[in-house]
């Protein structure tokens, strides 16, 4: 595919224009960051792995009637996507307590939550991606009340789809972060990526709290064997027969 001007470079992806103004090309990088980019590194092969995992998950989600920005993959580390304006909110869904939920509430790691918890964070590295209340979100005009309700409903539906999908892979979906965008028809589309960078994924049935980790926590917490873990998620995702 012809390379056009780069229009945006994020921490994990570069977006290029294409011949069609409604379509962008996302190039997935091997770069890894954590803690609002204070920690930086490379996960060899991550770009290809995450692109393929995200493509599969977007297809599974679209098949259940949820609109996404995904079009197709012209190469293993490149995805054609519909152009959207990203809503600067990170929507996090949690099924099992981990990460900042444990740090900020004292809930014990691994506690199964009585129902999925949906949270909004402000997508702003320089402010440290703070947790938002609904009132702050509206005060900051990050989105409208009506759209906030739609995001919550979509996030819950996506959670149901992903829990089921990962169950078929022998993987437990602990939590994940998603982003949404608005296309030129004012439609809300699931955007960005869903991958081991943006999810906590535990090997089902593995009791060892370090061995079970198949996601970016291996990088965040220096657990080693990061590439093996990402590769294992891809192999399991590719093996799913729905
Ligand atoms: P947290 O427990 O650190 O708040 O993370 C919740 C989920 O969101 C976890 O699956 C990792 C993901 N996440 C991102 O994708 N990007 C981020 O910047 C952060 C902080 C978390
Ligand atoms: N993606 C975020 C960053 O680089 C944080 C994280 O995933 O831990 O800053």
């Amino acid at each position: 595919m012809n390379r056009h001007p780069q229009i945006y470079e994020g921490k994990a992806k570069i977006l290029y224009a294409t011949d069609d103004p409604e379509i962008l090309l996302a190039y997935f990088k091997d770069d890894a960051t954590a803690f609002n980019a204070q920690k930086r590194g490379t996960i060899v092969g991550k770009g290809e792995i995450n692109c393929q995992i995200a493509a599969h998950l977007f297809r599974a989600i679209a098949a259940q009637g949820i609109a996404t920005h995904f079009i197709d993959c012209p190469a293993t580390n490149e995805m054609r996507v519909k152009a959207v304006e990203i809503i600067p909110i990170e929507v996090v869904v949690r099924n099992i307590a981990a990460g900042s939920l444990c740090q900020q509430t004292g809930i014990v790691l691994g506690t199964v939550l009585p129902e999925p918890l949906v949270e909004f964070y402000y997508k702003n590295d320089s402010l440290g991606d703070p947790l938002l209340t609904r009132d702050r979100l509206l005060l900051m005009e990050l989105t409208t009340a009506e759209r906030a309700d739609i995001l919550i409903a979509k996030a819950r539906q996506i959670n149901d789809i992903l829990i089921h999908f990962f169950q078929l892979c022998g993987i437990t979906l602990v939590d994940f972060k998603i982003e949404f965008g608005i296309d030129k028809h004012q439609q809300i589309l699931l955007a960005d990526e869903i991958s081991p960078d943006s999810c906590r994924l535990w090997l089902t049935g593995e009791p060892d709290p370090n061995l079970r980790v198949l996601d970016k926590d291996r990088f965040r917490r220096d657990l080693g064997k990061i590439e093996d873990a990402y590769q294992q998620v891809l192999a399991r995702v590719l093996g799913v027969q729905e």
Side-chain angles (χ1 to χ4, degrees):
M1 180 155 197
N2 281 342
R3 274 287 163 83
H4 286 70
Q6 177 177 320
I7 56 166
Y8 176 78
E9 178 160 8
K11 286 177 287 188
K13 291 184 287 301
I14 303 175
L15 289 178
Y16 296 94
T18 69
D19 292 335
D20 183 337
E22 286 188 44
I23 296 178
L24 302 179
L25 185 74
Y27 168 81
F28 283 63
K29 303 193 283 186
D30 286 356
D31 300 353
T33 64
F35 313 117
N36 302 314
Q38 289 173 54
K39 176 170 180 164
R40 289 175 181 275
T42 300
I43 300 175
V44 178
K46 176 170 86 76
E48 288 192 14
I49 293 171
N50 279 4
C51 184
Q52 291 173 67
I53 293 172
H56 262 73
L57 298 177
F58 280 138
R59 281 196 200 99
I61 290 166
Q64 300 299 319
I66 295 183
T68 84
H69 73 157
F70 174 76
I71 300 173
D72 58 16
C73 291
T76 48
N77 57 357
E78 289 180 355
M79 187 181 282
R80 291 196 316 142
V81 297
K82 292 178 190 157
V84 293
E85 190 171 327
I86 291 285
I87 303 170
I89 296 174
E90 300 195 340
V91 182
V92 169
V93 184
R94 302 178 191 271
N95 298 304
I96 296 175
S100 69
L101 179 66
C102 297
Q103 284 153 19
Q104 293 172 9
T105 65
I107 297 173
V108 173
L109 174 69
T111 304
V112 177
L113 303 181
E115 62 175 291
L117 179 65
V118 181
E119 299 176 323
F120 292 130
Y121 291 81
Y122 183 26
K123 187 174 153 66
N124 185 318
D125 272 352
S126 56
L127 294 176
D129 291 353
L131 179 63
L132 292 169
T133 62
R134 187 183 176 81
D135 285 347
R136 282 191 184 184
L137 181 149
L138 299 179
L139 173 73
M140 295 161 74
E141 298 183 348
L142 298 179
T143 191
T144 61
E146 189 202 355
R147 277 192 176 151
D149 290 338
I150 295 173
L151 298 187
I152 292 170
K154 283 185 188 281
R156 289 187 188 283
Q157 279 178 284
I158 292 165
N159 185 43
D160 290 342
I161 296 165
L162 292 179
I163 287 176
H164 172 73
F165 186 92
F166 280 117
Q167 245 167 19
L168 299 175
C169 306
I171 290 174
T172 301
L173 179 64
V174 174
D175 59 30
F176 61 95
K177 181 268 303 179
I178 44 179
E179 296 178 26
F180 293 91
I182 310 287
D183 72 6
K184 73 164 210 178
H185 311 289
Q186 293 304 304
Q187 266 229 87
I188 299 177
L189 305 185
L190 176 65
D192 192 50
E193 70 180 85
I194 306 177
S195 73
D197 271 12
S198 60
C199 302
R200 283 198 176 90
L201 303 170
W202 291 352
L203 189 59
T204 305
E206 171 55 64
D208 185 298
N210 290 343
L211 288 181
R212 71 186 175 192
V213 175
L214 298 178
D215 57 71
K216 200 163 87 172
D217 270 350
R218 300 205 75 82
F219 171 76
R220 295 189 188 98
R221 295 162 44 203
D222 295 319
L223 296 178
K225 297 205 169 166
I226 308 170
E227 283 84 2
D228 287 1
Y230 275 60
Q231 198 66 60
Q232 189 178 159
V233 175
L234 175 61
R236 285 170 177 265
V237 164
L238 292 180
V240 168
Q241 311 284 333
E242 284 210 269

